[in-house]
Amino acid sequence: MGSTRTIVAGLAAALLAPGIAQAADLGGAERTRGERDAPYAAPVSWTGLYLGIHGGFGFSSADWDFFATSLGNPGSGAVLGGQIGYNVQWGRVVYGIEGDLSGTWINGADGCGGYTCRHDLDWLGSVRGRLGLAFNGNRTLLYGTGGIAWADATLSSRDGAGVAFGSDFSTTQSGWVAGGGVEHMLSPNLTVRLEYLDYNFKDLTAPAGSLDVDPTHINLSTQVVRFGLNYKF
């Protein structure tokens, strides 16, 4: 994970460098007539390819149906990853597509029938459409988003001594994701965003002998709030 953090730090530095020098052009005191007549690199469009990083926090829920009972198993943890996308602007309307991948530290554990039931989300990914409206001089974008999502999860049930009931069960599940956010131009090439995403995945079934003597049915979902930084080419 140390190498992942090094890569993310390098990407953040590369994204920040080109835009910081231009950020002052987007704010400050009212310009004089001479300044208004001078060339001004205004952020005229959201159209273009962008690449970015994100980090935040997530809350998960794994509803287990086994041991002749049902268990709600909540969890939480950090997320860190990156995204790539393309926007098209038509008037004030902005639409596009985005793909992302997040490593996660989201997990939860609870007692269940003399055992401890645990779920760990190892990563989240999605491919989503985006649709929004630009305002504030075209510098701020309010948007909704939705699409296909994937999650890699590991589930286990262990006794008080830490001995697994059977074998841990790992799976990659597909589902859907929807949410929204707000994004703002710091410069014509550098944007920041805050967004919320709600992931819901297909019910999964762990085979008999892995988590219980019988097959175990689990419903998995998570909600993520994250901050993002993008560089637009």
Side-chain angles (χ1 to χ4, degrees):
M1 187 55 65
S3 61
T4 299
R5 292 176 180 145
T6 300
I7 292 170
V8 169
L11 180 56
L15 287 168
L16 282 168
I20 291 176
Q22 304 171 61
D25 289 340
L26 298 181
E30 182 178 354
R31 296 184 298 160
T32 66
R33 179 176 179 180
E35 290 173 329
R36 288 196 299 269
D37 293 339
Y40 177 59
V44 295
S45 179
W46 287 84
T47 297
L49 177 71
Y50 61 88
L51 180 68
I53 56 174
H54 62 257
F57 203 80
F59 301 90
S60 60
S61 175
D63 298 325
W64 298 57
D65 182 11
F66 79 144
F67 284 131
T69 188
S70 296
L71 168 73
N73 182 200
S76 61
V79 301
L80 181 66
Q83 64 272 352
I84 185 171
Y86 192 90
N87 287 323
V88 175
Q89 182 164 4
W90 183 42
R92 294 177 60 194
V93 175
V94 178
Y95 59 94
I97 188 168
E98 179 174 297
D100 64 17
L101 184 64
S102 307
T104 87
W105 291 261
I106 300 174
N107 58 71
D110 272 321
C112 53
Y115 282 76
T116 297
C117 296
R118 180 182 176 94
H119 71 275
D120 292 87
L121 290 179
D122 302 313
W123 55 261
L124 293 167
S126 71
V127 175
R128 294 171 285 106
R130 295 207 313 160
L131 178 64
L133 188 67
F135 62 101
N136 186 31
N138 203 45
R139 294 177 296 177
T140 304
L141 177 67
L142 186 66
Y143 65 90
T145 183
I148 305 171
W150 297 268
D152 188 76
T154 300
L155 302 112
S156 64
S157 58
R158 301 179 182 274
D159 64 18
V163 178
F165 177 88
S167 59
D168 294 349
F169 178 67
S170 296
T171 181
T172 299
Q173 291 295 111
S174 61
W176 58 266
V177 58
V182 60
E183 189 166 358
H184 181 73
M185 285 188 180
L186 297 177
S187 79
N189 298 104
L190 190 66
T191 73
V192 292
R193 68 165 64 159
L194 179 67
E195 66 183 354
Y196 165 81
L197 295 173
D198 180 16
Y199 297 81
N200 285 269
F201 302 99
K202 295 178 181 178
D203 292 354
L204 61 94
T205 300
S210 59
L211 303 176
D212 187 17
V213 292
D214 295 320
T216 303
H217 305 287
I218 298 167
N219 178 268
L220 183 65
S221 63
T222 186
Q223 296 80 43
V224 173
V225 177
R226 65 190 195 185
F227 170 84
L229 179 68
N230 290 322
Y231 182 78
K232 185 172 78 71
F233 296 92

